């Protein structure tokens, strides 16, 4: 420690001369003498050697070094007393290591790109320990937590909180075994007290809620519906050895007495994460060798757009690249390599497009329809009623459970006066959709403000392939789609199964539906569904893909000059592999299986995975937007430096990831997935399964039969739900892979 203090004193003066920087950021060297102190020997590019570095901000490093970066085993001291000892790769903590804080806290385990990531053990400054899986600084996966007060938890974690199956044991001997959600007891589970009393049943927000049984050691029990609200509580007490009710027992004492001491310990606060520690290092001022001029990119990112082939009447851009490009030769050596892969040519990003849609203002052909829609939504959502319960009765899903309301211009007892013509409004299964909005955590006031506020809706420029029109709310949160009668019938038929599915799986990728309505105006009916907009984000979506796993007609037919950030590309346009962190990839595989199985059981086909990509290093300085392969800290890393940033991340939403560039070979026939090049880009991903209301009806069966005569039956979209599900799942799980 004395040697370290001497080092700090020796380098304080140098710290005043130069600004702090991270590894890889260059700055000038003041004098030749200082240069000689830092660079005693000249080393060949790529050579790994042992070095000692007195850093300009007062920090100190000793260990292996290569190309101006710590590389290999090394030790780094910060002036505030933090220390890292372990593996480095190109200036980032990568591999096994130990990070210690001045407070006495310590983490020992795996690191990835500066983050605590993998298996590791954290010991707190005031006691307590967590041993298990980490993802980007947060507990994620399986782990054991011992709290300073004597409590313990063993089980599954997600984004720093208990989630999934787990066992929590209090220091007084009480324990709970069962399901968790967002750090709270939620779902089905069993709590056992030291006196051997047991509650087994449903929980919500840490309290019994729903069906459950309370048992005593002598065999007596109380069975019923549980709630912290006495008015919702009802059940029957059964004495030992008998099934007849003997006397009344007040179950509220479980809430007031038994659970009084059963508090879950909060997660400790860590003042600074290892990935937040700035690294300052001397770097040579010698310039890098000039790189060879990059090859041209097509505007949609396909390398040298290539030759258009005519295969069965379909255009396929082979996007082939020579082997020299794939290996990285001729590209010039740079410090931007990642995991040993040389950087390739910059990737061109489609030009920025203006905001989607045309504002529906007075004079627009659908202006009155928009007013009717907004009046109806305000009436439906604002109507007072009992708070929704997650346990819905079968009658709530009855397709006949719909209500017509007349809206005269002068108003009525239940409707306000308005400036539109008279219309009728229908709500389908209102209890179900009210409950779905609660399940999806949609605040009623915010919902009404988005759809019915002063800002007008925007109509997308052209109808979709189905002929439906799409409208966006001004804040981009919700999308409104007009529907055919057949689609409404499909949704109502599958509504109960849909509700149970989204209730069971928080991470489901299927479209979120918030309301189903109908306007009858001038004798015509317009049915529409309100759903979430997958691309409602502050990030610019640079690329968007609609992926089905079929090849027929799955290539964008727009000329390159018309492709922009709003263009939806298709399967044969895709030139990336999506790489997710291990635990996210495992959850992705599980959820794709669940969602595909659900859609198959409901006889649904023709759905697709909509994917949006935000390149975190995209430059917007010029009209010709480019992005280079991974190198340096990205905006996503900055977001994740604060663990609160994880609150916005869900499967398919705001997901930090990498994409690996691919190319299709010249001899590939309808190659869906190109060959990986080893060239990576840091991205934020958005994805979800859309268009889930296409039934495999007689029309689709005839389409399949007709197209099968001309084309490969496996290449077309219209196939039976079982085959469609299998093909979709196989394709998606090839396009997405684990980031190793």
């Amino acid at each position: 420690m004395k040697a370290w203090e001497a080092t700090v004193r020796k380098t304080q003066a140098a710290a005043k001369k130069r600004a702090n920087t991270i590894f890889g950021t260059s700055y000038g060297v003041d004098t030749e003498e200082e240069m000689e102190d830092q660079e005693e020997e000249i080393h060949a590019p790529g050579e790994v050697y042992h070095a000692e570095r007195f850093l300009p901000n007062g920090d100190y490093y000793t260990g292996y070094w290569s190309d101006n970066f710590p590389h290999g085993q090394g030790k780094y001291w910060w002036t505030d007393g933090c220390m890292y000892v372990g593996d480095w790769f190109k200036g980032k903590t990568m591999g096994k290591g130990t990070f210690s804080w001045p407070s006495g806290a310590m983490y020992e385990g795996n690191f990835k790109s500066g983050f605590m990531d993998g298996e590791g053990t954290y010991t707190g400054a005031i006691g307590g320990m967590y041993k298990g899986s980490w993802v980007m600084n947060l507990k994620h996966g399986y782990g054991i937590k011992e709290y300073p007060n004597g409590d313990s938890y063993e089980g599954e974690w997600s984004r720093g909180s208990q989630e999934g199956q787990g066992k929590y044991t209090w220091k007084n001997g009480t324990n709970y075994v069962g399901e968790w959600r967002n750090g709270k007891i939620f779902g089905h589970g069993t709590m056992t007290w030291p006196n051997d009393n047991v509650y087994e049943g449903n929980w919500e927000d840490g309290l019994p809620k729903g069906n459950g049984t309370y048992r005593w050691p002598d065999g007596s029990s109380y069975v019923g519906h549980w709630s912290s609200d006495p008015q919702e509580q009802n059940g029957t007490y059964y004495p030992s050895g008998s099934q007849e009710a003997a006397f009344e027992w007040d179950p509220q004492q479980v809430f007031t007495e038994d659970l009084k001491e059963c508090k879950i310990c909060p997660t400790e606060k860590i003042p600074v994460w290892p990935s937040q520690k700035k690294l300052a290092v001397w770097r040579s001022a010698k310039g890098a060798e000039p790189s060879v001029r990059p090859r041209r990119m097509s505007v949609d990112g396909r390398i040298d757009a290539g030759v258009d082939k005519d295969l069965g009447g379909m255009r396929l851009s082979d996007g082939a690249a020579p082997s020299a490009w794939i290996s990285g030769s001729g590209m010039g050596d740079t410090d931007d390599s990642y995991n040993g892969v040389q950087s390739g040519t910059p990737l061109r990003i489609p030009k920025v497009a203006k905001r989607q849609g045309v504002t529906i203002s007075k004079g627009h052909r659908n202006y009155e329809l928009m007013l009717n829609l907004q009046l109806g939504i305000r009436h439906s959502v604002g109507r007072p009623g009992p708070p929704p319960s997650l346990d819905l009765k079968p009658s709530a899903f009855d397709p006949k459970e719909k209500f017509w309301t007349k809206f005269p211009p002068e108003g009525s007892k239940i409707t306000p006066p308005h400036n539109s013509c008279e219309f009728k409004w229908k709500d389908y299964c209102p209890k179900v959709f009210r409950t779905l909005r609660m399940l999806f955590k949609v605040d009623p006031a915010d919902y009404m403000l988005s759809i019915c506020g002063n800002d007008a809706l925007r109509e997308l420029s052209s109808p979709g392939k189905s002929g439906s029109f799409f409208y966006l709310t001004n804040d981009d949160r919700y999308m409104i789609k007009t529907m055919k009668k057949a689609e409404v019938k499909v949704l109502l038929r599958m509504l109960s199964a849909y509700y149970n599915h989204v209730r069971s799986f928080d991470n489901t990728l299927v479209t979120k539906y918030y309301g189903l309505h109908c306007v009858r105006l001038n004798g015509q009916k317009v049915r529409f569904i309100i759903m979430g907009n997958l691309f409602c984000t502050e990030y610019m979506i640079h690329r968007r893909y609609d992926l089905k796993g079929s090849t027929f007609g799955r290539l964008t037919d727009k000329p390159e000059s018309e492709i922009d950030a709003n263009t939806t590309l298709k399967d044969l346009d895709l030139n990336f592999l999506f790489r997710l962190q291990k635990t996210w990839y495992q959850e992705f595989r599980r959820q794709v299986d669940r969602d595909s199985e659900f859609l198959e059981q409901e006889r649904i086909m023709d759905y697709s995975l909509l994917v949006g990509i935000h390149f975190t290093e995209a430059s917007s300085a010029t009209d010709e937007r480019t992005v280079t392969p991974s190198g340096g800290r990205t905006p996503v890393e900055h977001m994740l430096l604060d663990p609160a940033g994880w609150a916005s991340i869900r499967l398919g939403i705001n997901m930090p990831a990498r994409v690996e560039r691919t190319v299709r070979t010249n001899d590939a026939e309808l190659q869906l997935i190109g060959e990986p090049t080893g060239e990576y880009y840091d991205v934020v991903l958005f994805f979800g399964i859309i268009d889930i209301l296409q039934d495999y009806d007689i029309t689709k069966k005839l389409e399949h039969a007709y197209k099968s005569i001309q084309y490969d039956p496996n290449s077309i979209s219209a196939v039976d739900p079982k085959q469609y599900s299998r093909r979709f799942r196989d394709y998606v799980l090839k396009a997405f892979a684990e980031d190793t």
Side-chain angles (χ1 to χ4, degrees), residues 458-476:
R458 304 196 314 279
E459 182 181 78
L460 298 192
S461 56
S462 61
K465 185 179 178 181
S466 65
S468 298
F469 282 87
F470 291 86
Y471 303 91
L472 281 171
T473 57
N474 191 60
D475 59 8
D476 287 333

Side-chain angles (χ1 to χ4, degrees), residues 238-527:
Y238 297 96
S240 177
S242 171
Q243 293 301 307
E244 295 181 4
F247 63 91
E248 291 295 325
W249 174 74
D250 185 7
Q252 286 301 307
Q253 72 178 60
V254 173
F255 296 90
T256 58
E257 298 296 332
D258 294 9
L259 294 171
K260 187 166 59 176
E261 302 298 325
C262 298
K263 306 296 182 186
I264 308 300
C265 286
T267 301
E268 70 278 2
K269 300 291 184 182
I270 298 178
V272 61
W273 298 98
S275 54
Q276 287 177 292
K277 297 298 295 178
K278 282 190 174 183
L279 305 171
V281 63
W282 179 89
R283 180 173 179 177
S284 171
K286 291 184 293 184
E289 295 179 7
S291 60
V292 176
R293 182 179 178 181
R295 299 176 65 231
R296 284 178 60 97
M297 294 291 147
S298 65
V299 73
D300 66 350
R302 290 174 287 189
I303 307 164
D304 280 346
V307 182
D308 288 347
K309 296 182 179 181
D310 192 329
L311 296 172
M314 292 172 283
R315 186 173 67 85
L316 175 64
S317 175
D318 57 41
S323 58
W325 180 86
I326 296 174
S327 67
S329 60
M331 304 308 298
D333 295 331
T334 72
D335 285 333
D336 290 330
S337 57
Y338 189 93
N339 288 357
V341 179
Q342 290 291 339
S343 300
T345 55
L347 180 70
R348 285 188 61 197
I349 303 300
K351 61 186 178 183
V352 179
K354 64 180 181 180
R355 197 178 188 196
Q356 283 185 289
V358 177
T359 301
I360 304 176
S361 54
K362 198 164 186 177
H364 190 283
R365 68 184 185 282
N366 287 328
Y367 179 69
E368 285 203 343
L369 179 62
M370 182 193 74
L371 292 181
N372 299 159
L373 187 155
Q374 292 177 322
L375 285 165
I377 293 292
R378 191 179 291 115
H379 170 75
S380 299
V381 179
R383 186 168 49 206
S389 169
L390 292 177
D391 298 317
L392 293 171
K393 296 179 180 179
S395 60
F397 297 95
D398 188 341
K400 297 178 183 178
E401 186 78 359
K402 54 194 176 186
F403 304 94
W404 281 105
T405 304
K406 184 184 290 187
F407 280 76
E410 66 275 11
S412 67
K413 290 182 180 179
I414 59 173
T415 64
H418 58 86
N419 295 323
S420 181
C421 59
E422 181 173 301
F423 68 95
K424 286 187 176 180
W425 171 265
K426 182 195 289 185
D427 265 336
Y428 294 89
C429 302
K431 291 181 182 177
V432 177
F433 286 101
R434 183 181 288 245
T435 307
L436 282 171
R437 293 194 293 270
M438 181 186 74
L439 197 65
F440 296 142
K441 297 180 174 59
V442 173
D443 180 77
D446 290 342
Y447 183 70
M448 280 198 294
L449 191 62
S450 290
I451 302 173
C452 313
N454 294 329
D455 296 315
L457 302 178
R458 304 196 314 279
E459 182 181 78
L460 298 192
S461 56
S462 61
K465 185 179 178 181
S466 65
S468 298
F469 282 87
F470 291 86
Y471 303 91
L472 281 171
T473 57
N474 191 60
D475 59 8
D476 287 333
R477 292 179 64 183
Y478 303 105
M479 183 172 283
I480 301 166
K481 175 190 176 185
T482 60
M483 299 181 73
K484 295 179 180 178
K485 187 176 181 180
E487 290 179 306
V488 173
K489 286 184 176 180
V490 171
L491 179 55
L492 292 175
R493 185 202 73 203
M494 63 184 284
L495 188 56
S496 178
Y498 172 84
Y499 175 79
N500 291 328
H501 183 77
V502 298
R503 184 183 176 185
S504 300
F505 304 111
D506 284 349
N507 282 334
T508 181
L509 298 174
V510 298
T511 306
K512 289 181 169 62
Y513 292 130
Y514 300 116
L516 180 62
H517 312 283
C518 179
V519 169
R520 185 170 185 173
L521 181 67
N522 299 325
Q524 292 185 330
K525 291 182 179 178
V526 182
R527 304 169 184 87

Side-chain angles (χ1 to χ4, degrees), residues 523-552:
Q524 292 185 330
K525 291 182 179 178
V526 182
R527 304 169 184 87
F528 55 89
I529 185 80
I530 301 175
M531 50 193 174
N533 178 17
L534 186 63
F535 296 154
C536 177
T537 172
E538 294 179 357
Y539 291 111
M540 173 67 186
I541 302 296
H542 297 117
R543 295 266 181 87
R544 54 189 75 201
Y545 292 94
D546 181 274
L547 306 175
K548 293 186 177 184
S550 58
T551 55
F552 179 76

Side-chain angles (χ1 to χ4, degrees), residues 159 505-509 584 587 591 594-595 650-651:
R159 300 186 295 276
F505 304 111
D506 284 349
N507 282 334
T508 181
L509 298 174
W584 278 121
E587 177 59 27
Q591 198 56 55
R594 294 163 181 160
D595 291 340
R650 291 289 183 270
L651 185 68

